[in-house]
């Protein structure tokens, strides 16, 4: 399918690896020029160069932490008049409800709620003026079914979801859509970190931890960054203009809900 976005430009946050890289790859394959962001300059530039050489698109890199004011300013300056914004950030650490203090919640909110909102506020007005734009926020399956050990993520990402629910309907008439992708377990560094926590708490091997977690997924496996990226690229396409304010689960059926 021709996604109809060849020649457009996308800002993809946290895209040196994992789900963000999957989104950047799929957009580059569709002919979209990229502004890629991550905190680590070396890994970011390596991924960017691979996409340049593979797909022949323009890729600008911005090594910065978008959870900070300085990082947001750098990314916004590099983004310019982008057509597509993919918000993404690493999740907060797992733990128990009694582990977290106010500062832990502030850090989670800065990274997983306030930073995406800041980028939306900075870049969506230009999209509205031009009459076309796409915003995709990578959140989590936990906004539909909270995960006990991910209380920081549950809180911050659900806050972003509430913001998007109202904002998306206010900007849709200007040709701009805002939607959320809700990943379950994918084969990324984040999954490795969570599996590692299970290894320590249960005193089992990493392979045993992965087998146990995969057994709880109806699809019987972890997701891949490539299939996640394909879903992101579709939401960014010209075919998705009537999808507004939605929360799309990509979890292999793990979240057992009716609606």
């Amino acid at each position: 399918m021709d996604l109809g976005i060849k020649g457009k430009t996308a800002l993809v946050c946290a895209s040196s690896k994992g789900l963000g890289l999957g989104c950047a790859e799929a957009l580059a394959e569709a002919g979209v020029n990229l502004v890629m962001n991550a905190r680590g300059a070396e890994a970011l530039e390596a991924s960017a160069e691979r996409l340049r050489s593979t797909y022949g698109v323009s890729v600008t890199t911005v090594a910065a932490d978008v959870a900070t004011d300085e990082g947001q300013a750098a990314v916004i300056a590099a983004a310019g008049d982008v057509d597509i914004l993919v918000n993404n950030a690493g999740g907060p650490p797992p733990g128990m409800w009694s582990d977290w203090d106010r500062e832990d919640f502030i850090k989670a909110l800065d990274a997983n709620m306030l930073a995406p909102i800041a980028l939306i506020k900075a870049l969506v007005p230009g999209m509205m003026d031009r009459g076309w734009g796409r915003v995709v926020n990578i959140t989590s399956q936990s906004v539909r079914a909270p995960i006990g050990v991910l209380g920081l993520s549950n809180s911050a990402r659900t806050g972003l979801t509430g913001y998007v629910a109202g904002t998306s309907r206010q900007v849709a008439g200007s040709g701009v859509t805002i939607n959320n992708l809700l990943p379950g377990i994918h084969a990324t560094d984040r999954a490795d970190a969570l599996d590692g926590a299970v290894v320590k708490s249960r005193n089992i091997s990493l392979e045993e931890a992965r087998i146990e977690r995969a057994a709880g997924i109806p699809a019987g496996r972890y997701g891949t960054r490539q299939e996640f990226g394909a879903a992101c690229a579709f939401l960014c396409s010209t075919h998705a203009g009537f999808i507004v304010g939605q929360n799309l689960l990509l979890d292999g059926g793990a979240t057992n809900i009716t609606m």
Side-chain angles (χ1 to χ4, degrees):
M1 177 186 290
D2 181 0
L3 299 182
I5 50 178
K6 183 177 181 179
K8 293 190 180 296
T9 302
L11 166 61
V12 187
C13 298
S15 55
S16 63
K17 55 188 176 181
L19 300 182
L21 177 58
C23 295
E25 288 170 331
L27 290 169
E29 185 177 8
V32 175
N33 298 312
L34 300 172
V35 178
M36 295 176 64
N37 155 256
R39 288 177 295 180
E42 185 175 350
L44 176 62
E45 187 52 45
S47 294
E49 182 53 36
R50 182 169 60 80
L51 296 187
R52 291 186 193 104
S53 60
T54 301
Y55 300 109
V57 296
S58 169
V59 183
T60 299
T61 58
V62 184
D65 183 355
V66 294
T68 67
D69 292 341
E70 296 80 5
Q72 290 164 23
V75 168
I76 290 166
D81 294 331
V82 293
D83 308 289
I84 296 166
L85 166 62
V86 180
N87 274 314
N88 184 34
M96 295 299 293
W97 62 271
S98 55
D99 295 337
W100 303 309
D101 296 321
R102 183 179 186 278
E103 187 58 33
D104 298 309
F105 282 98
I106 295 300
K107 289 179 180 178
L109 289 169
D110 279 339
N112 300 120
M113 176 182 169
L114 299 178
I117 290 173
L119 295 184
I120 289 170
K121 290 180 64 179
L123 299 176
V124 164
M127 297 178 190
M128 295 173 69
D129 289 343
R130 295 185 294 276
W132 196 94
R134 299 286 185 264
V135 178
V136 175
N137 303 297
I138 301 176
T139 62
S140 169
Q141 69 184 97
S142 68
V143 303
R144 298 294 300 278
I147 299 169
V149 296
L150 298 182
L152 295 174
S153 179
N154 298 341
S155 304
R157 298 191 194 278
T158 302
L160 176 61
T161 303
Y163 174 84
V164 167
T167 303
S168 62
R169 288 158 174 89
Q170 294 174 316
V171 305
S174 296
V176 180
T177 68
I178 309 178
N179 293 287
N180 305 314
L181 284 177
L182 284 56
I185 302 172
H186 286 69
T188 64
D189 288 350
R190 173 67 166 171
D192 289 343
L194 295 176
D195 288 342
V198 174
V199 168
K200 291 180 180 179
S201 65
R202 300 268 311 283
N203 195 28
I204 60 177
S205 71
L206 183 60
E207 184 62 25
E208 288 173 322
R210 288 173 175 165
I211 290 172
E212 283 190 10
R213 293 184 82 201
I217 303 172
R221 62 176 178 85
Y222 288 11
T224 69
R225 76 167 191 260
Q226 290 81 8
E227 56 196 347
F228 187 90
C232 178
F234 179 78
L235 286 180
C236 295
S237 76
T238 57
H239 309 294
F242 210 55
I243 303 174
V244 174
Q246 298 304 300
N247 296 283
L248 177 61
L249 276 166
L250 289 91
D251 66 349
T255 306
N256 193 4
I257 55 178
T258 302
M259 295 171 27

